[in-house]
Amino acid sequence: MPPGLIRIEEIAAYEGQEVTIRGWLYSRTDKGRLQFLRLRDGTGMVQAVVFKKDVPPDVFRAARSLTQESSLIVSGVVRADQRAPGIPGGYEIGVTDLQVVQRAEEYPIQLKEHGPDFLLDHRHLWIRSPRQWAILRVRATVIRAIRDWLDDHGFVNLDTPILTPAACEGTTTLFETDYFGEPAYLTQSGQLYNEATIAAFGRVYCFGPTFRAEKSKTRRHLTEFWMVEPEIAYCDLDELMEIEEQFVSYIVQRTLRERAAELKLLGRDTTPLERVVPPFPRISYDEALELLAQIREETEDEALRALLEIEWGDDFGSPHETELARRFDRPVFVYGYPTQAKAFYMEPWPGRPEVSKSVDLLAPEGYGEITGGSERISDLKLLEERLVEHNLPREAFEWYLDLRRYGSVPHSGFGLGVERTVAWICGIEHVRETIPFPRMLKRAYP
Ligand code: 4AD
Ligand code: MG
């Protein structure tokens, strides 16, 4: 390592010292004898000032010829300057030496607005831009918070297979693949396997990519997304909601603490996020329908009224979720969805078989569902009936039925979608920016 090599994020500790930074040129401003280089290194961005009289002529010439995204190594003295732009900002570098590693060809992404399709086609480059950098740093912190909370609360991480013989979340969104002449499916959820591992480990989670052949083009759907799925033995719906609210508020509060600079760069107003602390309000599906009816009565907006139309038994669409969540100042649990609107494995409400012991967590500010979970059916006969009702092939589920034959217990779990959570925390419009390489209905490139 060259002497004095530092990362931009630690620059404040090196005021007055000579340092070296290895990175890429984000932009350059040519002021004749002064060249202002904005240099990024993955940990931050700093302005490096090349003054003609301070460097050998060949160094100045090299600086002056630098193109956007050229890779370079810069040495110089760190100066404090309140006005200096950058991340963290407040410091700049008076350049003494500079080495061009590669002079970049003309960079396709200019420092101006581009359309989403163009940017998505160039996702491999787009991730370098400050906004994408900030979002993906938040994502990494969210993932770390997820793991830390679960690991610290007795959950054992046991990952579940990606190639599976059966559907978990309905047969309409399965990606089928050829498994040596037999069909196999990309996993929609690791839940069914979690239900096996809890009988060996008590509390478990799986965390990985999941796949849904979603034909819908919305700002909340990817065909490949990351989901963390905790599952808990001897746990009912109330206990599940307690776990979820602790978990989600930890993720949000830790991200606020550790990624303040990134959230600021994104222009995120963090006040609504600061309120994300337990307890979260809980309303039943029936109460949610009443609330929606009331909202429809009150609104003057004809189009909204039509969008919010719903009958008992229907699942919510995103307009319902948005309007419901708007009535609360923190995420809200909606529990007790109609059995017909949910997956096959959900425990019925005692005395009301048409209602399931299910719960979704809706994020405020229009973000809607970020977790989906339930208590699971623990009775063998009932589960067998449900497989028939849902037209699911019994052979593929024989092992799952075994779990109800040998030491079946009440148990519950949920799945939290990483991309939706990151979109909410960052306050951004579309989930496509929350994953390094998004997969959507019409996109599997790059
Ligand atoms: O509500 P879902 O479908 O629940 C399950 O898969 C359960 N088996 C989880 C469990 O109980 N272990 O999905 C859970 C979450 C949603 O709340 C949402 O955040 C996210 O996964 N999600 C998606 N995110 C992005 N794109 C999609 N197409 C998504 N589908 C679900
Ligand atoms: Mg759901």
Side-chain angles (χ1 to χ4, degrees):
M1 277 209 315
L5 182 68
I6 68 158
R7 295 189 305 273
I8 294 172
E9 64 182 351
E10 40 185 32
I11 197 160
Y14 292 89
E15 191 187 335
Q17 296 181 44
E18 167 122 26
V19 300
T20 297
I21 290 169
R22 301 188 292 202
W24 296 264
L25 186 76
Y26 176 64
S27 67
R28 177 170 63 88
T29 309
D30 188 337
K31 295 269 182 203
R33 292 179 312 136
L34 277 170
Q35 298 293 313
F36 295 97
L37 313 180
R38 294 184 73 195
L39 180 69
R40 52 172 197 84
D41 75 342
T43 74
M45 179 121 63
V46 70
Q47 178 162 278
V49 186
V50 192
F51 193 16
K52 194 169 183 182
K53 74 172 177 44
D54 288 347
V55 292
D58 59 318
V59 167
F60 190 76
R61 224 174 300 122
R64 202 168 187 180
S65 77
L66 280 171
T67 49
Q68 189 187 349
E69 288 305 317
S70 290
S71 38
L72 69 161
I73 300 174
V74 162
S75 297
V77 179
V78 177
R79 301 189 289 244
D81 180 346
Q82 286 285 313
R83 298 154 310 163
I87 310 161
Y91 297 89
E92 63 175 24
I93 294 179
V95 175
T96 52
D97 195 13
L98 180 152
Q99 181 194 331
V100 181
V101 179
Q102 192 242 345
R103 187 172 177 279
E105 295 177 23
E106 192 180 340
Y107 194 59
I109 303 180
Q110 307 290 301
L111 303 179
K112 60 160 198 183
E113 291 279 315
H114 289 284
D117 280 326
F118 176 86
L119 290 170
L120 285 164
D121 284 342
H122 293 86
R123 183 62 175 168
H124 51 296
L125 305 176
W126 186 27
I127 50 173
R128 303 179 187 193
S129 74
R131 178 183 151 92
Q132 300 308 310
W133 173 87
I135 296 167
L136 294 175
R137 298 248 296 178
V138 168
R139 177 190 171 96
T141 298
V142 164
I143 289 173
R144 186 155 174 206
I146 285 170
R147 290 197 179 278
D148 282 351
W149 193 89
L150 293 168
D151 292 343
D152 289 346
H153 287 81
F155 287 79
V156 181
N157 176 212
L158 296 161
D159 288 321
T160 51
I162 288 180
L163 292 165
T164 62
C168 178
E169 296 298 321
T171 47
T172 56
T173 61
L174 280 176
F175 274 116
E176 186 174 328
T177 161
D178 172 65
Y179 195 73
F180 306 111
E182 295 290 327
Y185 309 97
L186 299 183
T187 183
Q188 297 170 308
S189 159
Q191 177 197 320
L192 306 184
Y193 295 94
N194 283 342
E195 291 182 62
T197 54
I198 50 162
F201 300 91
R203 294 176 151 210
V204 306
Y205 69 98
C206 63
F207 192 6
T210 42
F211 305 85
R212 309 252 172 118
E214 304 272 8
K215 306 266 167 24
S216 53
K217 233 180 129 179
T218 81
R219 61 189 189 85
R220 311 195 301 164
H221 286 92
L222 297 167
T223 55
E224 179 178 317
F225 63 97
W226 282 64
M227 178 158 59
V228 58
E229 298 182 83
E231 188 79 20
I232 310 105
Y234 292 105
C235 175
D236 66 16
L237 199 64
D238 284 330
E239 292 162 314
L240 185 71
M241 288 191 256
E242 274 165 40
I243 290 172
E244 284 195 42
E245 67 192 6
Q246 296 293 334
F247 178 61
V248 169
S249 32
Y250 176 82
I251 295 167
V252 170
Q253 296 310 320
R254 177 151 173 201
T255 308
L256 283 179
R257 271 200 315 279
E258 295 184 5
R259 289 289 168 248
E262 287 78 358
L263 293 173
K264 187 163 166 233
L265 189 156
L266 293 168
R268 178 64 158 122
D269 171 10
T270 54
T271 338
L273 296 176
E274 279 149 26
R275 285 195 292 266
V276 180
V277 286
F280 296 169
R282 302 176 183 191
I283 61 169
S284 68
Y285 174 87
D286 295 344
E287 289 165 340
L289 281 203
E290 284 169 24
L291 197 51
L292 286 168
Q294 194 186 320
I295 295 168
R296 290 186 57 218
E297 225 159 80
E298 284 165 13
T299 183
E300 317 248 288
D301 182 341
E302 288 287 336
L304 180 67
R305 198 173 307 142
L307 273 176
L308 291 184
E309 217 158 287
I310 187 165
E311 282 187 15
W312 197 97
D314 296 343
D315 204 354
F316 296 141
S318 80
H320 306 106
E321 292 181 355
T322 298
E323 288 305 316
L324 285 171
R326 269 166 62 148
R327 313 285 134 162
F328 301 89
D329 73 343
R330 61 194 78 191
V332 55
F333 286 115
V334 180
Y335 63 88
Y337 285 80
T339 304
Q340 67 185 73
K342 290 287 180 187
F344 75 96
Y345 49 71
M346 294 187 181
E347 178 74 13
W349 203 270
R352 277 189 83 188
E354 73 283 9
V355 174
S356 62
K357 293 184 90 177
S358 50
V359 61
D360 282 2
L361 183 64
L362 311 184
E365 303 173 83
Y367 286 92
E369 178 191 342
I370 52 167
T371 82
S374 70
E375 197 172 317
R376 323 302 192 187
I377 291 174
S378 47
D379 179 69
L380 176 62
K381 271 200 60 200
L382 179 57
L383 190 56
E384 286 173 329
E385 286 167 22
R386 285 293 168 81
L387 289 181
V388 175
E389 282 166 28
H390 285 255
N391 262 321
L392 291 165
R394 182 171 170 131
E395 325 77 71
F397 288 91
E398 228 19 273
W399 68 271
Y400 186 62
L401 293 171
D402 266 353
L403 307 175
R404 276 71 184 170
R405 293 191 179 100
Y406 310 111
S408 189
V409 299
H411 62 286
S412 303
F414 67 95
L416 172 132
V418 168
E419 291 75 18
R420 288 195 191 169
T421 305
V422 173
W424 164 47
I425 293 178
C426 289
I428 62 173
E429 181 68 17
H430 201 297
V431 291
R432 65 189 168 210
E433 291 180 77
T434 65
I435 185 165
F437 296 96
R439 295 290 172 256
M440 294 175 289
L441 183 55
K442 295 233 155 74
R443 179 164 299 278
Y445 175 92

